[in-house]
Amino acid sequence: MSTRVKGRPELYTAYAQDMAFLNTRSKQVGVLVVVIAAAVLPLTVSDDLLKILGTGLVLAIGAIGLNLLTGFAGQVSLGHAFFVAVGAYTASAIAGDPDGRALGLGITFVPVWIIGAGLVAALAGAIVAPLATRLRGLYLAVVTLGLVIIGGYAFTEWKDLSGGAQVGRDAPKPVVLGADLTIDGAYTQEQKLYWLFLVVLVICAIFARNIARSKIGRAFAAVRDRDVAAGVMGVELSKYKLIAFVLSSFYAGVCGSLLFVANGHFGPERFSGGHGLLLSVQFIAMILIGGVATVSGSIMGALLIALLPRIASELPSFLPFITTAANEHPNIFEIEVATYGLLIIVFLLFEPRGLFGIWHRVRTYWKSFPFSY
Amino acid sequence: MRRTILRATAAMAATALVLTGCGRGGGDDEDGATAPGVTKEPCPDAVDQDKGCIYLGTISDLTGGFKAVGVPLTAGGKAFWQHVNENGGIGDYEVDVTKYVKDNKYDPETHAQVFSEIKGDVFAIAQSLGTVATETMLKDNDSKDLVVIPATLGSNWYFEDRVLEIGTSYCGEAMNAVDYGVDELGAKKVAAVHFPGDYGDDAAVGAKIAAEKRGATFTDIPTGPGADQQAAAVQAVMKSQADVVVVATGPLELAAVVGGAVKSGFKGKFIGSIPTWNAALLDSPAGPAIEASYLWATSFPLWDTDSEGFKAMREANGNQPPNAYFALGWSGGYIMKTALEKAVDDGDLTRAGLLKAATSMTSVDSEGMLPEGSGNYAGDANEAAVRVTQLAAPKKGSGSGVTESVDFFTGPTLKDYDFKEACYLQK
């Protein structure tokens, strides 16, 4: 074990140092600052924004999961929404009211239904994983898309579980230490839920980062870069593809278990037809916009995608000549829909390396300051 | 390096203190207001600048799959409150429904999100479209005393105090339709073509209950959205040999089913729920078939009705084509108006005060725009339920494309029906 050399933060004298959880001092400080800032944010931001940010944090869990599969292990999946749905329904069924209209076991202890949702989704992932050993690239993407279609149909028809089309069922109630987080107290429901989501996200992010820097993570990278070469090097392809799917689905399940907690009610439309496909595509967009094969990028991307509708709805108010009456055209609601699409195009056109790319440029600039050019 | 960390920690602590010091504004009472959305300041487009303003929110589908419903409903509501304001407002207040109009894109999460954006600024919700979406909104901790006028007619709202349902439910309407079929058309076989969920299932369950009670056979024909997806439904209608078919779909599906069935030799009658009708259907290829074998079941008086309310509404509509949803948006306003007036009279213009006023209402003066029995929210579900239906026949050139065919009636099934839970939940 070697020690660090003072004043030379990037001088590594041991492999373990290079592979450390946060390998530079600035990363350590940076992460600490971000986490603390995120933790005190609810004290300053209004509830409606917190609600969006809270959703963003939950989506970030799912995005990290997809990034493990697609970004780290190179397996493109359009089926992520299916695993999110499995998680959402598992959690709702575990925590649901046993005497209620929809299936419920009445186990309200929060970690049970979060982890339970993750495990059932992971099991679904394990069943799907063998496909990935036979297919790759776009073929895998199209096949996983089939999952969304099958799932959308199954959940809509399985009324005891989902409540049925256009009716829906209640989401699990987050009762932590006897306190229902959806009821305003000293802090509002939005604040309390945000903190709950933040805690779960931080745990998930640390776990993901640890996977990425372990033997499994290195195997993922080898499979991604060239699976045949990885196989030749002794990486067992079917095993690691299975692990990638299982881990990714676990994250999706956890994401699903929390996704509707704030709203308390959800219908199967969320996962069927166009909506299910859109959710899958949004997850892809999160990791592309955020940054492929980075945990921090997944979080940034998820927050941006969650905020995008709000940004799109604020922008038209800068165009005072556009009417707010919905029966005249063009009105701000129509402009809002167009703006949403436009933002995605503009972003990928001008920032193809994602939010992580912007961060990377900023970092490089200051690293070589004042000689940055 | 250690110094950097120290400095960073200090900076962080300072930032944290500043951030927490800022506070979040919160829902503090401003300028003597009694509740969120009630101000002493006049409305943005006030008629009388000396009056205060009550802001009502509208969360509707303005760009999604049901915008053909949501947009005219919103316009009707706006016209109604403009009319109220021009005629003296509510006590010392005028009412604004234009500042907080939000698009839910028919998505419950968007609905909950936009509600949380306006929940501190609105007194009540003048229009909320979508059943799951509305239920999601009502789960919010800040909607405990929120009064809502729904833009859906499911029988579920009988069981929710905060939601002031209008008109006969889809379920009740279907019961009346079947009773009419049995009594007047001698129907022995009944079928229901319907969407799944709060709307279609509600009507289908109503039709089934009535058919069973009247000794007719019942065939359930669920179908999905899409005019090109109705071949199986048409086939099922033909196979059922039904004399009366209750339809609870959208206008496009109605045209496909009626057009297809009549072409295949169907001889019975189609009776459609409120959302099945659109005057533009008369100009579609299925127009003649619809004119020949379709009746529109509605509990609301028709566009050409001669009453004070309708006159004012037609005037407000100007030379726009008649639209049943515009009329609905207008007539729903009377319920909210009565509740607001009662809350003002009680001197309790808070959300809880409004809810109390609303749930003690027993009738409403709707200037002839709401059906008999409307506005009774004081009792239980069975007292609240409006039970009348009229049947209208499509006719080219008349007001909204329909003309009265069967005057308001209540069939024997609905007359004594005991609402214990929402019909669609019995599916």
Side-chain angles (χ1 to χ4, degrees):
Chain A
M1 189 69 201
S2 328
T3 48
R4 289 185 170 280
V5 179
K6 210 176 169 190
R8 303 288 300 278
E10 288 195 37
L11 176 68
Y12 302 117
T13 53
Y15 187 58
Q17 262 177 15
D18 191 22
M19 294 304 294
F21 179 63
L22 296 166
N23 53 4
T24 63
R25 187 69 80 185
S26 51
K27 269 191 198 170
Q28 291 169 1
V29 176
V31 167
L32 197 67
V33 170
V34 169
V35 170
I36 291 178
V40 297
L41 197 67
L43 302 173
T44 63
V45 171
S46 65
D47 278 349
D48 56 319
L49 266 179
L50 272 186
K51 197 168 172 145
I52 302 177
L53 291 173
T55 310
L57 296 179
V58 174
L59 289 174
I61 299 171
I64 291 174
L66 186 64
N67 223 338
L68 282 174
L69 180 69
T70 305
F72 287 97
Q75 309 298 306
V76 183
S77 166
L78 274 175
H80 214 53
F82 168 74
F83 300 110
V84 172
V86 170
Y89 282 115
T90 307
S92 307
I94 292 175
D97 179 4
D99 303 322
R101 208 169 48 80
L103 210 61
L105 300 177
I107 303 168
T108 53
F109 187 53
V110 175
V112 172
W113 55 256
I114 293 182
I115 295 172
L119 290 177
V120 173
L123 185 70
I127 295 169
V128 173
L131 289 175
T133 59
R134 314 278 307 177
L135 300 165
R136 87 165 78 99
L138 280 178
Y139 294 91
L140 181 62
V142 171
V143 167
T144 48
L145 177 60
L147 285 177
V148 178
I149 295 165
I150 296 169
Y153 179 78
F155 291 126
T156 305
E157 293 302 316
W158 190 0
K159 284 191 181 173
D160 285 341
L161 181 69
S162 70
Q166 300 297 344
V167 179
R169 68 167 293 154
D170 284 355
K173 270 208 172 304
V175 183
V176 177
L177 303 174
D180 186 341
L181 301 187
T182 57
I183 292 174
D184 289 353
Y187 296 101
T188 63
Q189 55 174 347
E190 285 86 357
Q191 288 175 310
K192 289 189 277 191
L193 286 172
Y194 174 95
W195 279 317
L196 170 72
F197 298 155
L198 183 66
V199 169
V200 179
L201 172 63
V202 168
I203 295 170
C204 288
I206 291 173
F207 187 56
R209 172 84 183 116
N210 278 330
I211 292 166
R213 69 195 185 94
S214 69
K215 178 184 164 193
I216 296 175
R218 291 190 292 276
F220 281 178
V223 173
R224 174 193 59 202
D225 292 343
R226 189 76 189 135
D227 56 353
V228 176
V232 171
M233 284 191 295
V235 174
E236 209 179 315
L237 289 185
S238 53
K239 178 178 154 192
Y240 283 101
K241 285 182 178 176
L242 176 73
I243 292 175
F245 261 100
V246 167
L247 282 173
S248 152
S249 311
F250 182 87
Y251 274 82
V254 171
C255 165
S257 74
L258 296 171
L259 196 54
F260 303 103
V261 161
N263 288 340
H265 195 92
F266 66 106
E269 294 75 34
R270 190 70 182 86
F271 301 111
S272 59
H275 273 91
L277 176 59
L278 180 67
L279 186 61
S280 282
V281 172
Q282 277 177 328
F283 275 114
I284 299 267
M286 284 171 212
I287 62 174
L288 284 181
I289 288 177
V292 174
T294 58
V295 171
S296 53
S298 317
I299 299 172
M300 287 190 280
L303 288 174
L304 186 76
I305 289 286
L307 280 167
L308 211 50
R310 181 63 185 271
I311 298 171
S313 77
E314 295 289 342
L315 285 181
S317 60
F318 293 108
L319 306 169
F321 52 89
I322 291 180
T323 177
T324 56
N327 53 345
E328 293 164 30
H329 307 282
N331 58 55
I332 57 164
F333 306 105
E334 290 162 345
I335 300 288
E336 185 184 321
V337 173
T339 314
Y340 181 77
L342 204 65
L343 281 175
I344 293 182
I345 295 174
V346 167
F347 201 85
L348 286 183
L349 208 59
F350 292 103
E351 208 47 69
R353 283 193 305 159
L355 293 168
F356 191 81
I358 298 180
W359 162 237
H360 197 83
R361 269 210 308 279
V362 171
R363 198 174 65 183
T364 322
Y365 179 87
W366 287 107
K367 231 169 160 179
S368 45
F369 188 80
F371 304 107
S372 23
Y373 39 81
Chain B
M1 191 42 56
R2 184 148 303 154
R3 206 152 13 113
T4 324
I5 297 177
L6 269 177
R7 226 183 293 152
T9 318
M12 241 155 38
T15 320
L17 281 176
V18 170
L19 288 176
T20 47
C22 284
R24 311 192 311 145
D28 296 22
D29 287 3
E30 294 151 36
D31 56 50
T34 54
V38 179
T39 64
K40 290 261 189 286
E41 302 293 312
C43 293
D45 303 311
V47 178
D48 181 349
Q49 295 290 339
D50 296 333
K51 292 203 171 190
C53 191
I54 296 172
Y55 290 95
L56 301 179
T58 298
I59 308 180
S60 191
D61 184 356
L62 304 176
T63 56
F66 286 85
K67 70 175 173 197
V69 177
V71 171
L73 268 175
T74 308
K78 184 180 161 190
F80 173 78
W81 290 107
Q82 181 64 30
H83 174 70
V84 169
N85 291 341
E86 281 165 7
N87 288 281
I90 309 267
D92 291 332
Y93 296 92
E94 289 189 5
V95 175
D96 179 277
V97 288
T98 55
K99 191 168 177 193
Y100 300 105
V101 178
K102 292 285 176 183
D103 179 16
N104 71 6
K105 304 181 174 78
Y106 205 69
D107 169 45
E109 279 161 84
T110 309
H111 194 108
Q113 179 55 45
V114 295
F115 172 67
S116 85
E117 281 171 33
I118 63 172
K119 68 186 179 186
D121 303 312
V122 297
F123 188 48
I125 300 291
Q127 187 213 134
S128 173
L129 196 146
T131 300
V132 180
T134 304
E135 275 174 0
T136 307
M137 173 176 79
L138 291 172
K139 294 248 176 218
D140 193 294
N141 195 244
D142 295 305
S143 54
K144 253 183 297 187
D145 297 317
L146 187 78
V147 171
V148 178
I149 306 283
T152 57
L153 309 178
S155 52
N156 53 317
W157 299 132
Y158 295 146
F159 306 93
E160 173 58 66
D161 277 349
R162 293 170 288 178
V163 177
L164 309 179
E165 67 280 354
I166 53 171
T168 305
S169 63
Y170 303 124
C171 180
E173 215 119 67
M175 289 182 191
N176 281 340
V178 171
D179 277 338
Y180 168 80
V182 171
D183 290 336
E184 306 295 327
L185 308 174
K188 302 254 183 308
K189 290 177 175 165
V190 173
V193 178
H194 63 97
F195 284 164
D198 61 308
Y199 158 46
D201 284 347
D202 213 50
V205 167
K208 184 169 176 237
I209 290 169
E212 277 168 4
K213 184 162 177 201
R214 304 302 302 274
T217 61
F218 177 74
T219 312
D220 184 34
I221 308 173
T223 189
D228 53 346
Q229 305 288 318
Q230 305 307 323
V234 170
Q235 227 172 21
V237 167
M238 297 313 293
K239 204 174 148 219
S240 74
Q241 296 179 321
D243 307 304
V244 164
V245 180
V246 172
V247 186
T249 61
L252 292 175
E253 294 79 11
L254 173 87
V257 170
V258 174
V262 169
K263 209 163 124 193
S264 313
F266 179 78
K267 292 276 179 286
K269 210 67 167 167
F270 289 97
I271 303 182
S273 298
I274 288 184
T276 55
W277 179 243
N278 184 328
L281 289 179
L282 285 174
D283 299 323
S284 74
I290 287 173
E291 218 167 334
S293 53
Y294 165 79
L295 289 171
W296 184 43
T298 173
S299 57
F300 297 96
L302 301 180
W303 186 268
D304 302 318
T305 304
D306 185 26
S307 84
E308 210 180 313
F310 272 99
K311 266 185 219 151
M313 183 206 70
R314 284 194 296 262
E315 199 178 307
N317 192 50
N319 46 15
Q320 297 287 315
N323 186 310
Y325 295 110
F326 182 87
L328 264 178
W330 179 291
S331 39
Y334 288 104
I335 302 280
M336 184 62 90
K337 177 171 171 256
T338 308
L340 284 174
E341 280 168 347
K342 204 158 183 306
V344 169
D345 285 348
D346 294 347
D348 189 5
L349 204 56
T350 60
R351 278 191 184 165
L354 180 64
L355 182 61
K356 203 171 134 226
T359 50
S360 59
M361 269 169 74
T362 52
S363 67
V364 57
D365 174 18
S366 67
E367 300 180 307
M369 292 204 68
L370 287 170
E372 184 197 324
S374 290
N376 182 359
Y377 307 107
D380 64 4
N382 286 304
E383 289 168 56
V386 173
R387 294 173 194 253
V388 294
T389 295
Q390 69 172 330
L391 300 177
K395 192 175 169 217
K396 262 191 163 171
S398 59
S400 49
V402 285
T403 174
E404 184 190 306
S405 168
V406 179
D407 196 11
F408 285 104
F409 69 99
T410 303
T413 310
L414 181 57
K415 197 170 178 199
D416 308 319
Y417 186 72
D418 183 13
F419 285 99
K420 287 205 181 72
E421 66 169 335
C423 291
Y424 65 77
L425 295 181
Q426 299 167 34
K427 174 93 178 156

